[in-house]
Amino acid sequence: MRRKFFFIPAIIVLTFAFAFAQQPSAGSTSVDRLKQTVSYLASDALEGRRTGTPGANDAARYIAGEFNRLGLRAAVQPARPTRAQVESLTRYFQPFPYVAHVELGKNNALTITTHGVLDAPQMTSHQTLRIGTDWMPLGFSSNAKIESDALIFAGYGISASELKYDDYAVSPRDRVAIIFDGTPDGDNPHGQFARPGELRFKAAAARAAGARALVVISGDNNLNDDRLSHLSYDNAGEAGLPVVVISRSVAATLLGGAEGLSAYEKSAKARTNNLPIPKGVSLTVDVIRRESPSFNVVGILPGSDPILSKLNEETIVIGAHYDHLGRGGEGSLAPREGDIHHGADDNASGVAGLIELARMLSTQNPKPRRTIVFIAFSGEEEGLLGSDYYVNHPIFPLAKTVTMINMDMIGRLQDSKLIVGGVGTASDWRSMIQSENTVEKMQAAAAKNPSASGSPNYQVSLNGQASSTGFPIVIGANGQPVVTAELSKLPLSLSAPFALTLNEDGFGPSDHSSFYSKQVPVLFFWTGTHDDYHKPSDTADKINYEGEARIVSFVERIVSDIDKSDKRPTYTVAKSEPQGRSNGFRVYLGTIPNYADSNDGLKLDGVRDDSPAAKAGLKAGDRVVKLAGRDVKNVYDYTYALGEMKAGQEYEVEVMRDGQRLTMKIKPEARK
């Protein structure tokens, strides 16, 4: 017996994988609390938390209620105290503009004109189409009135120079282009046409080719079954020209009946396009975009440092986005719309960690010296809208923001593999992270009271959290195990709690990118993608709550290390690294686009050092209005122009800066 009790604590000092508390103290992470938060946010009741929806706003109220319960200060301080609880919770909201609903105006109209022959002009006929049954404008269509005597057939409407594929070999200038929805390879999501076949890029290609409007032939026999008829909007700006979808029966009328429609489909696949269609159209598009209340939720833990030292004036931002994809549509990888996308890992897990950190830091003694700003962002899935709004309307000056720590998808820890991004954004990060990821952080201490046999009991913990399953290590007064370990499940590697992947880059597909663009050091914690990413199957039962608890404790120790130092992290320019996704472009400019709604050019959040954009003289805050001869109204126009550019060839780029239009020369580099 003595030998066993001597040996087991020695092993436990070196292990970490099963050390979790049954009843955590205020300073330790609670698995139960994490599970409670994720289960609610990912429940059917919130319907996927799409920004601007009632479900997202219910989530915002829940988070505000948690911040309020923990005693965090609200972002908005009222002139006098409020009585109503609802009013009190709204003080944690930072509203930002968001178009959540698109509806039809009163002036939509589409008429097809069939011209009579020269010797019988009286045979000219007009067919007025029924909106909602025969045709619909798209949610991102520009409003306009178009009169055109001719249409031109342009296949699938794809123009991709890198694929040597162009459905606009003959210019549709001053005509209305008509195309099929989909791509030549049958909408293969992994096919070569997946990106240029997106309708946003088709609209950009049509506008670049000079078309006055774009008519898309529905892929469904019933127009109401087509996703294009649902007036959705992605907050990425208008198309710059009218874009409408028509039913297949209307398309048959335009193209010579069912046989004619079939013949045109064959010609689209054979790329024998650019066929003139002897029909005229009169088109008026009138869509109204309604903004919906959308919020960041901000809770503030004031710094405890004495006023004279002024450390309490500095802030540490800890963030996680709470929005997701609602019932699918834009951004979803599900085969159809309508199913709730629960978003348990993405990103109810990060919000649960955010609330746990708020609880841990607000109840610790002493409290953090610097002010901690907890922010639950919305609009992340739409293009970092909430975090972009915050950095341009900060509650605390960004000059006083010493770092931003972001948690996004931290709920699927496997084999202790954790990814930390932004390590190159401060010279302090690498050593700090490695220091906190050591077995020395696991502590063992003998219990005050010996066991009945006289042998010492050992309270073994990992970062203050006791084990809860397996071989008994500590027996309580009631005879039940207090600390246990399963020797059969000890990790093979005892060198560190996490197998870390450290990425240098401060830019990436989450909210920390908005802060790094403003030269704030950032750290980004996530456990990687999985088969349930952006699908309805990302549910609460698949979260590794014990693993998430370990990550939250890890983040808490890093926050504490930052706060204990009188010296703020030293900002550095991180080297660019791949983000795990290929954008499919052959060239590299080094710009960081702002994906928020824009109809008057593409704003740049940042420019990478020593990049072609930096050498050309582009700066953060510039608004690109023309690139490589293409007018730019939004990110899709910009991306389309980028896809046409070649490495080593010089192009003009025009930007708006401080009210002036500037022209610069830029030479793209080959993407490595």
Side-chain angles (χ1 to χ4, degrees):
M1 289 292 291
R2 182 179 299 172
R3 183 177 180 182
K4 181 181 291 186
F5 275 98
F6 174 79
F7 177 64
I8 288 179
I11 293 178
I12 298 301
V13 169
L14 295 177
T15 190
F16 58 88
F18 302 97
F20 297 103
Q22 290 177 315
Q23 294 182 350
S25 65
S28 61
T29 310
S30 168
V31 170
D32 289 341
R33 290 187 180 97
L34 293 173
K35 188 172 184 178
Q36 178 182 345
T37 299
V38 172
S39 297
Y40 173 68
L41 292 178
S43 67
D44 287 352
L46 298 193
E47 296 190 295
R49 312 184 306 278
R50 174 75 80 171
T51 302
T53 64
N57 293 338
D58 284 346
R61 282 187 285 271
Y62 172 85
I63 298 164
E66 291 297 294
F67 286 173
N68 184 65
R69 183 177 61 81
L70 294 170
L72 299 185
R73 201 181 81 195
V76 178
Q77 293 302 304
R80 61 179 184 273
T82 57
R83 295 181 178 180
Q85 178 69 8
V86 173
E87 291 180 3
S88 176
L89 293 184
T90 61
R91 295 190 290 111
Y92 291 89
F93 292 170
Q94 182 191 41
F96 62 86
Y98 177 77
V99 176
H101 177 64
V102 181
E103 61 189 48
L104 295 174
K106 298 179 180 180
N107 301 315
N108 291 284
L110 176 56
T111 300
I112 297 174
T113 299
T114 303
H115 301 293
V117 295
L118 290 177
D119 57 350
Q122 69 275 11
M123 298 298 293
T124 296
S125 63
H126 304 279
Q127 180 184 2
T128 300
L129 302 182
R130 299 164 297 172
I131 193 164
T133 301
D134 298 327
W135 76 286
M136 278 287 287
L138 270 63
F140 63 85
S141 172
S142 293
N143 291 334
K145 184 173 183 178
I146 301 293
E147 300 282 349
S148 177
D149 289 333
L151 295 126
I152 187 167
F153 177 65
Y156 289 100
I158 293 173
S159 181
S161 61
E162 69 274 15
L163 300 176
K164 297 181 179 179
Y165 187 103
D166 189 6
D167 279 330
Y168 292 105
V170 176
S171 172
R173 187 165 300 280
D174 296 329
R175 297 182 182 181
V176 173
I178 182 169
I179 64 171
F180 283 103
D181 188 23
T183 68
D185 57 6
D187 296 338
N188 178 0
H190 305 293
Q192 61 180 339
F193 297 105
R195 188 180 185 92
E198 292 179 18
L199 196 51
R200 274 285 197 168
F201 289 111
K202 290 186 178 186
R207 196 166 74 85
R212 298 184 64 191
L214 182 64
V215 175
V216 183
I217 300 171
S218 173
D220 290 287
N221 289 325
N222 185 349
L223 183 64
N224 290 326
D225 293 336
D226 195 318
R227 73 193 191 286
L228 299 182
S229 68
H230 298 166
L231 280 178
S232 62
Y233 186 66
D234 58 8
N235 279 269
E238 297 175 12
L241 80 170
V243 184
V244 305
V245 59
I246 60 172
S247 69
R248 293 183 67 82
S249 60
V250 170
T253 300
L254 282 169
L255 303 178
E259 291 184 2
L261 180 63
S262 177
Y264 272 94
E265 284 185 299
K266 291 178 181 178
S267 70
K269 287 183 169 57
R271 298 178 61 184
T272 54
N273 307 324
N274 305 108
L275 306 174
I277 300 171
K279 305 277 185 177
V281 295
S282 175
L283 171 64
T284 301
V285 172
D286 179 18
V287 295
I288 301 171
R289 297 174 183 89
R290 304 289 189 190
E291 289 194 359
S292 174
S294 302
F295 316 99
N296 297 324
V297 187
V298 185
I300 300 161
L301 178 61
S304 64
D305 203 61
I307 296 176
L308 291 178
S309 67
K310 295 187 177 181
L311 278 182
N312 63 344
E313 296 180 3
E314 296 183 347
T315 60
I316 298 172
V317 173
I318 305 176
H321 76 90
Y322 68 88
D323 64 301
H324 195 54
L325 300 178
R327 290 184 174 269
E330 188 71 26
S332 171
L333 297 179
R336 61 187 178 87
E337 285 187 60
D339 294 333
I340 295 173
H341 288 52
H342 298 89
D345 189 29
D346 186 13
N347 183 37
S349 66
V351 176
L354 179 73
I355 293 172
E356 260 303 272
L357 285 169
R359 182 188 65 81
M360 295 164 69
L361 293 171
S362 64
T363 55
Q364 75 178 30
N365 189 20
K367 288 184 170 52
R369 301 189 299 165
R370 291 180 171 89
T371 295
I372 312 293
V373 183
F374 300 92
I375 310 179
F377 298 106
S378 192
E380 191 271 353
E381 300 286 7
E382 316 285 344
L384 315 184
L385 302 182
S387 57
D388 177 75
Y389 186 84
Y390 179 86
V391 297
N392 287 291
H393 305 83
I395 294 171
F396 293 92
L398 292 183
K400 294 285 188 178
T401 302
V402 303
T403 190
M404 189 273 183
I405 292 178
N406 185 30
M407 296 173 292
D408 194 346
M409 298 176 62
I410 59 171
R412 295 288 192 98
L413 187 69
Q414 291 186 356
D415 301 323
S416 296
K417 294 178 181 178
L418 178 64
I419 304 165
V420 184
V423 175
T425 65
S427 58
D428 320 68
W429 287 157
R430 190 173 291 271
S431 61
M432 183 182 296
I433 291 168
Q434 291 173 343
S435 173
E436 288 298 342
N437 190 43
T438 59
V439 292
E440 284 78 9
K441 296 297 176 180
M442 300 185 312
Q443 301 172 347
K448 291 183 179 180
N449 299 319
S451 66
S453 66
S455 300
N457 282 333
Y458 290 90
Q459 174 66 46
V460 184
S461 67
L462 168 63
N463 309 322
Q465 299 177 6
S467 174
S468 60
T469 60
F471 190 90
I473 301 303
V474 177
I475 305 299
N478 61 358
Q480 297 300 313
V482 176
V483 179
T484 62
E486 291 192 34
L487 298 183
S488 63
K489 295 184 178 180
L490 291 177
L492 295 177
S493 172
L494 301 178
S495 59
F498 295 103
L500 295 178
T501 298
L502 303 182
N503 291 334
E504 295 276 328
D505 207 343
F507 290 113
S510 193
D511 292 305
H512 60 285
S513 186
S514 298
F515 286 80
Y516 182 58
S517 71
K518 301 294 186 180
Q519 299 187 338
V520 174
V522 297
L523 285 174
F524 171 40
F525 294 85
W526 69 306
T527 53
T529 58
H530 43 74
D531 290 341
D532 301 307
Y533 174 72
H534 278 199
K535 296 177 183 177
S537 52
D538 180 11
T539 50
D541 60 300
K542 297 178 181 177
I543 299 298
N544 176 0
Y545 293 101
E546 288 78 11
E548 179 172 349
R550 290 172 51 202
I551 295 170
V552 172
S553 293
F554 186 43
V555 174
E556 188 274 334
R557 298 198 306 276
I558 290 172
V559 172
S560 296
D561 282 353
I562 297 169
D563 186 58
K564 288 174 184 175
S565 175
D566 291 343
K567 178 177 172 291
R568 60 190 292 172
T570 304
Y571 170 82
T572 57
V573 177
K575 69 178 182 181
S576 173
E577 291 186 352
Q579 298 298 329
R581 306 177 188 175
S582 171
N583 59 19
F585 297 122
R586 299 168 299 169
V587 299
Y588 164 75
L589 297 185
T591 56
I592 309 299
N594 181 307
Y595 293 96
D597 189 353
S598 175
N599 297 310
D600 55 356
L602 178 76
K603 183 181 176 183
L604 299 182
D605 274 345
V607 173
R608 295 185 186 276
D609 284 10
D610 202 33
S611 66
K615 294 173 183 176
L618 272 68
K619 298 179 180 179
D622 285 349
R623 191 175 293 274
V624 179
V625 293
K626 197 165 190 175
L627 177 64
R630 307 291 192 189
D631 290 332
V632 174
K633 285 184 171 292
N634 52 51
V635 68
Y636 292 94
D637 291 338
Y638 176 85
T639 304
Y640 176 77
L642 186 64
E644 299 293 302
M645 300 172 80
K646 297 179 180 179
Q649 183 172 326
E650 189 174 75
Y651 299 88
E652 285 191 347
V653 54
E654 297 181 22
V655 303
M656 295 299 298
R657 181 188 298 169
D658 298 328
Q660 291 186 313
R661 192 179 184 107
L662 306 177
T663 302
M664 305 171 193
K665 303 287 186 180
I666 191 168
K667 187 179 291 186
E669 296 176 1
R671 184 170 292 278
K672 300 177 182 178

